[in-house]
């Protein structure tokens, strides 16, 4: 009986410590998405890519560590909270107006839908690289991503 009680106490203590370790290994990232053209409706898709999968950034689904979406409302700003393991990530956001789960381009290759990236890099020709958008999340953080249309 004493042995069973002792083992139960050790199990409870170890599971409590393990849970606390898991919580400390995670960060909450609050993403404020700005400049939403809410007249276009659709959804806002959010994808986070880890450094390990940076070759897939910004749009290959194979490299997505986190993905989520929200419906476009009647606001030009939305706040989304996501949980990630501590580490380096680049985040891409797409205003998917027709909800086909991909960015649409016009005949000369310019995006027809809104898009944005962590660090809001200057975009000249083509999408930015992972290194332009990467953020090292070691603590709970707040970032802003401004959509471009």
């Amino acid at each position: 009986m004493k042995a069973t009680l002792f083992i139960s106490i050790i199990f409870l203590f170890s599971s409590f410590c393990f849970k606390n370790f898991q919580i400390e290994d995670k960060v909450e990232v609050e993403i404020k998405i700005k400049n939403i053209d809410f007249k276009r409706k659709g959804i806002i898709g959010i994808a986070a890519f880890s450094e390990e999968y940076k070759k897939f950034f910004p749009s290959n689904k194979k490299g997505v560590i986190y993905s989520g979406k929200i419906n476009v409302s009647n606001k030009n700003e939305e706040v989304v909270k996501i949980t990630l393991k501590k580490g380096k990530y680049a985040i891409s956001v797409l205003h998917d107006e027709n909800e086909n789960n991909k960015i649409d381009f016009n005949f000369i290759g310019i995006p027809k839908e809104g898009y944005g990236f962590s660090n809001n890099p200057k975009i000249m020709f083509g999408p930015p690289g992972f290194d332009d958008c990467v953020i090292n999340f070691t603590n709970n953080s707040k970032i802003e991503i401004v959509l471009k249309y």
Side-chain angles (χ1 to χ4, degrees):
M1 180 77 169
K2 288 182 183 178
T4 305
L5 180 61
F6 181 73
I7 291 171
S8 297
I9 291 171
I10 288 177
F11 177 77
L12 287 172
F13 180 75
S14 64
S15 66
F16 174 78
C17 291
F18 181 71
K19 285 180 186 175
N20 284 343
F21 177 73
Q22 283 183 321
I23 291 169
E24 291 175 8
D25 198 32
K26 306 252 184 212
V27 293
E28 185 175 273
V29 179
E30 183 179 290
I31 305 167
K32 182 185 276 189
I33 303 167
K34 299 177 81 171
N35 195 40
I36 299 170
D37 185 352
F38 59 85
K39 294 176 187 164
R40 296 184 181 204
K41 299 298 177 197
I43 60 170
I44 302 288
I46 303 109
F49 295 77
S50 72
E51 189 171 41
E52 179 182 1
Y53 297 104
K54 70 183 190 177
K55 68 182 179 182
F56 297 112
F57 182 79
S59 59
N60 189 322
K61 293 178 185 176
K62 290 180 186 176
V64 174
I65 297 300
Y66 168 89
S67 69
K69 63 183 176 180
I70 58 170
N71 291 321
V72 174
S73 65
N74 291 331
K75 299 186 280 187
N76 64 355
E77 289 185 3
E78 290 286 349
V79 175
V80 178
K81 293 181 180 179
I82 66 174
T83 302
L84 300 169
K85 287 178 66 175
K86 290 181 179 181
K88 294 181 179 180
Y89 297 89
I91 300 172
S92 64
V93 176
L94 170 66
H95 181 171
D96 189 6
E97 296 174 42
N98 57 7
E99 300 183 40
N100 65 351
N101 296 315
K102 64 179 185 175
I103 191 164
D104 296 315
F105 299 92
N106 66 16
F107 69 97
I108 57 173
I110 297 173
K112 292 171 34 177
E113 299 174 302
Y115 59 90
F117 305 97
S118 47
N119 289 337
N120 298 299
K122 190 172 183 178
I123 298 173
M124 300 299 279
F125 301 103
F130 180 89
D131 293 333
D132 297 322
C133 304
V134 68
I135 299 173
N136 188 11
F137 293 107
T138 57
N139 297 304
N140 293 343
S141 303
K142 293 181 181 184
I143 66 170
E144 290 184 354
I145 297 179
V146 180
L147 292 183
K148 295 173 177 59
Y149 290 89

